[in-house]
Amino acid sequence: MTIKIIITLLYLGVIFYLGFKGWQSTKKSTDYMLAGRQMNPFVMAMSYGATFVSTSAIIGFGGAAGLFGFSLLWLTLATIVVGVFIAMVFFGRKTRRMGLALGSHTFPELLGRRYQSRFIQGFAGLIIFLFIPVYAAAVLIGISRMLEISFSIPYEYALIAITVILAVYVITGGMKAVMYTDAFQGMIMALMMIILLVSTYSMLGGITEAHQTLTDMVSLVPAKLQKGGLIGWTQGAEFGTPIWLVIYTTIVYGVGIGVLAQPQLCVRFMTVPSDRELNRAVLYGGIFIPLMTGVAFLVGALSNAVFYQSSGKISIAVAGGNMDKIIPMYIENMMPPWFSAVFLLAMFAAGMSTLSSQYHVGGTSLGRDFCERFIKVSGIKSVKVTQIGVAVTLIAAIIWAWILPPSIIARATAFFFGLCAASFLPIYCLALYWKGATKAGAIVSMVGGFASSMFWLLFVHKKEAAAIGLCEKLFGQTTLVSSAGKGSWVWLLQWVDPNVVALPVSLILAVGISLITRKMSEEHLDYCWQNY
C-alpha cells in the first residue's frame, strides 16, 4: 500500500506540474481551446491516442475480448486503418486547413461556419454536451472502482477525488494542459501494455503455444455463448448470429467508424501548425493506438487460457459473470504485485486522458457553441463561458456516474461513438470534400441521423430498448421486432447496431437534400477552401 501511495503522489505531482505549465502559457482563447495551434506532432499523436484509448478500450473492450475472443482484433485493424491513417491523412489535413481558414475553435464551430449555420453549431454542441457526460461517466465509474479496490476507499470518495483532480487542470489549463498530460500518460500506458503482453505470452509458453492452448479450449465455451453463435475464442462467431452482429456491427463497425466523428479527437487536428506535423503524427499514432488496443484484446482473450491453467475456470467465470472485471482480476491475480500498482496508474492515466478531453469538449460545446454562438450570451469572455461549461459537464458526469448501472463501459462507448457518426460524420466528410453540400442538406442530415439513431436505440436494439422500457410501455413488447419468428432476419435486427441504419440514412439525406436545395455562394466556398 505504501508503494502505491508513493507512486501515485509522484504521478499526481507530474500531472499538476504539466497542468501548471499549460496554465502559464494559456493567454487567449486559441491557447485554451486549441493549444495556440502550435502543438508538437508527438504530443498531438500521443494526446489523440491517449484520448481514443481509455479505460473503455483497455478494461471494457479488453473484457469483451475475454468473452468473445480474437474477433475483437478486427477493431484493432479498424483503429489502424480508420482511426489513424484515414483520420489523420484524409480528415486531419483538411480539418486543420479549413479550421484555420474559418477561425474555428471547436468541432461544432467548424461545421457551423462551413455551412453558415448557427443552428448546426448550436445543435451539434447540444448533442455533444448532453451525451458526452454519459460516456465520461462510464470511464469515471471504471477508474473510480479500480481506485476503490486498490486503496480500499469508498467509491464515492474516489469519484469525487478524480473529479477534483481533473477540474483543477482542465478548467484552468485548457487544451495545452490536457495535451501535455495526455502525452505523459500515453507513455505510461504504452510501457505497461508491453510488459503485460510479454508476461502473458511467457506464462503460456510462447506465442504459438498460447494460441494453440486457447484454440483447444473450444469445448469450454459457455453454452449461452455457443447458442448465440460463438464457435470458439480463436475461431470467432458464426456469420449472421446475434453474437456475430454484436461483434461486427456494434464493436467493430460502430466504434471503428465512429472514431472519425469524435469531437474530442477531431479538434486535435486543429492544434498543429502545419500538415507536416500531422504526417509525423501518423507514425506515432500508428504505433501507439494499435499497441494499446491490440494488447488489450490479445490479453483479454488469452486470459481464458491463463485462468484455466491456474484455477480451472475461464475468465468470465472468474469475474463472476461481469466482463468489466476480467482485466482487473487478471492483473490482480496473475501479475506481480509491483505491476498491479503501476498498472493501476496506467489505467488511471487512460481514464484521466479521456475524461479530461471529454470534459474540455463538453465545456466548449455548451459554453462556446451553444451559449455564446447559438443563443448569443453576451457580456462574458469566451474562455470564462467555456470554463463554466466544463464545470457543468463535470457535474453532469458525476450525476450519471451515480445512477448508471455496472458493466456499462463498453456499451456506453459504442453508443456515443455511433451517435456521433450518425449525427456528424456525413456532413463533416462532405464539408471537407464536396462544395455542393448545402446548409439545408447538412441540417436535415444531422437531425435525421440523430433521430434515426435514437429511434433504433429506443425501439429496436434489444439491449437499450429492454433497459429503458419505453417500447414495452407503448407497444407491449420489448422491441418492435421481438415478436418476429425466432432466427428470422427481422428478429435478428434486435442485435444490429443503430449506427448501421442511422449512418446511411444521414448520408442519403445529406446528399439528397443538397442536390435539390440552393447552393452556397462561391465567395464563401472559396473562403473555406483558401488553404487547400
Side-chain angles (χ1 to χ4, degrees):
M1 179 64 72
T2 302
I3 294 176
K4 288 183 180 180
I5 293 174
I6 293 173
I7 293 175
T8 301
L9 290 175
L10 289 173
Y11 167 80
L12 292 177
V14 175
I15 290 295
F16 283 124
Y17 167 74
L18 294 173
F20 177 73
K21 182 179 178 182
W23 172 77
Q24 277 189 316
S25 56
T26 298
K27 307 299 181 184
K28 52 187 178 180
S29 61
T30 52
D31 292 333
Y32 188 88
M33 299 179 193
L34 294 176
R37 299 187 192 268
Q38 296 295 319
M39 193 53 67
N40 178 279
F42 174 77
V43 174
M44 193 284 287
M46 294 297 284
S47 176
Y48 179 94
T51 302
F52 183 12
V53 182
S54 68
T55 51
S56 62
I58 298 171
I59 302 298
F61 289 103
L67 195 65
F68 300 131
F70 284 158
S71 296
L72 265 73
L73 288 171
W74 285 107
L75 179 56
T76 297
L77 178 62
T79 64
I80 299 171
V81 177
V82 180
V84 177
F85 182 71
I86 292 178
M88 292 190 181
V89 174
F90 294 98
F91 282 78
R93 295 176 183 175
K94 291 184 179 292
T95 299
R96 189 199 69 79
R97 294 176 186 179
M98 188 171 287
L100 182 63
L102 297 174
S104 303
H105 293 71
T106 67
F107 179 65
E109 186 171 53
L110 174 69
L111 297 178
R113 292 189 176 184
R114 162 63 177 86
Y115 292 108
Q116 295 182 304
S117 170
R118 282 174 49 212
F119 175 81
I120 288 177
Q121 182 174 352
F123 189 72
L126 190 60
I127 289 175
I128 294 167
F129 170 71
L130 289 177
F131 292 99
I132 205 169
V134 179
Y135 178 23
V139 180
L140 189 60
I141 290 169
I143 189 62
S144 296
R145 291 297 184 190
M146 291 189 65
L147 287 177
E148 176 191 22
I149 294 170
S150 182
F151 290 101
S152 300
I153 61 176
Y155 166 74
E156 294 80 7
Y157 292 173
L159 183 66
I160 294 171
I162 293 171
T163 302
V164 170
I165 292 169
L166 284 163
V168 169
Y169 78 86
V170 178
I171 294 179
T172 58
M175 183 59 79
K176 283 190 177 181
V178 169
M179 294 186 73
Y180 285 145
T181 51
D182 281 354
F184 167 68
Q185 291 165 162
M187 290 186 286
I188 293 178
M189 291 160 59
L191 179 61
M192 289 301 98
M193 297 306 281
I194 291 172
I195 296 173
L196 180 62
L197 181 64
V198 173
S199 299
T200 299
Y201 276 124
S202 297
M203 282 187 276
L204 293 172
I207 296 175
T208 303
E209 292 80 1
H211 290 199
Q212 187 59 54
T213 299
L214 190 61
T215 300
D216 294 340
M217 292 173 60
V218 63
S219 62
L220 298 173
V221 174
K224 185 177 181 180
L225 293 179
Q226 291 184 24
K227 187 177 180 180
L230 186 65
I231 300 171
W233 290 294
T234 61
Q235 297 91 339
E238 184 180 350
F239 176 80
T241 58
I243 287 181
W244 187 93
L245 291 170
V246 170
I247 293 172
Y248 291 102
T249 69
T250 298
I251 297 176
V252 178
Y253 174 77
V255 177
I257 299 298
V259 65
L260 291 175
Q262 288 297 290
Q264 71 273 24
L265 300 179
C266 294
V267 74
R268 275 155 175 73
F269 300 141
M270 295 188 280
T271 65
V272 294
S274 69
D275 290 349
R276 182 178 60 183
E277 280 73 21
L278 281 173
N279 294 336
R280 293 175 180 173
V282 171
L283 174 62
Y284 302 132
I287 296 173
F288 176 77
I289 295 179
L291 174 65
M292 295 295 99
T293 58
V295 171
F297 301 160
L298 283 169
V299 171
L302 292 170
S303 67
N304 287 285
V306 177
F307 277 132
Y308 190 73
Q309 287 185 355
S310 65
S311 65
K313 297 180 179 179
I314 61 172
S315 300
I316 194 65
V318 173
N322 185 349
M323 68 181 184
D324 287 345
K325 291 184 179 180
I326 291 176
I327 296 297
M329 293 195 72
Y330 180 79
I331 300 302
E332 186 69 27
N333 297 327
M334 307 310 303
M335 299 297 291
W338 69 266
F339 183 87
S340 64
V342 182
F343 189 81
L344 170 67
L345 286 182
M347 293 302 94
F348 190 75
M352 292 277 283
S353 297
T354 303
L355 286 166
S356 60
S357 297
Q358 290 167 334
Y359 292 156
H360 185 271
V361 79
T364 56
S365 295
L366 177 66
R368 184 178 182 86
D369 298 315
F370 185 74
C371 293
E372 184 182 345
R373 300 300 186 189
F374 183 61
I375 63 176
K376 290 190 174 296
V377 173
S378 59
I380 305 177
K381 291 184 178 180
S382 177
V383 171
K384 184 62 66 176
V385 175
T386 301
Q387 289 175 332
I388 294 172
V390 171
V392 174
T393 306
L394 279 164
I395 295 170
I398 293 175
I399 294 172
W400 277 112
W402 282 93
I403 64 177
L404 282 176
S407 303
I408 196 69
I409 298 174
R411 196 159 33 130
T413 302
F415 159 70
F416 185 72
F417 274 52
L419 183 65
C420 286
S423 303
F424 307 136
L425 185 55
I427 66 172
Y428 175 39
C429 181
L430 295 177
L432 302 177
Y433 280 96
W434 187 36
K435 292 185 178 181
T438 66
K439 176 180 176 179
I443 291 175
V444 172
S445 170
M446 182 172 63
V447 175
F450 173 77
S452 300
S453 182
M454 295 306 295
F455 172 82
W456 198 268
L457 182 136
L458 292 171
F459 296 102
V460 180
H461 201 239
K462 185 176 181 179
K463 199 74 174 180
E464 289 77 20
I468 296 170
L470 180 62
C471 188
E472 180 75 37
K473 291 179 180 179
L474 294 177
F475 302 104
Q477 54 188 48
T478 305
T479 70
L480 292 178
V481 297
S482 58
S483 59
K486 189 174 181 180
S488 66
W489 70 268
V490 176
W491 180 79
L492 286 170
L493 289 175
Q494 296 175 99
W495 288 273
V496 174
D497 190 75
N499 201 34
V500 174
V501 176
L503 181 56
V505 168
S506 181
L507 178 60
I508 291 170
L509 289 174
V511 175
I513 300 298
S514 291
L515 290 174
I516 60 174
T517 53
R518 185 164 59 92
K519 307 302 178 186
M520 307 196 74
S521 70
E522 287 296 328
E523 182 181 1
H524 173 68
L525 294 174
D526 290 341
Y527 182 71
C528 294
W529 263 263
Q530 63 182 283
N531 292 325
Y532 277 49

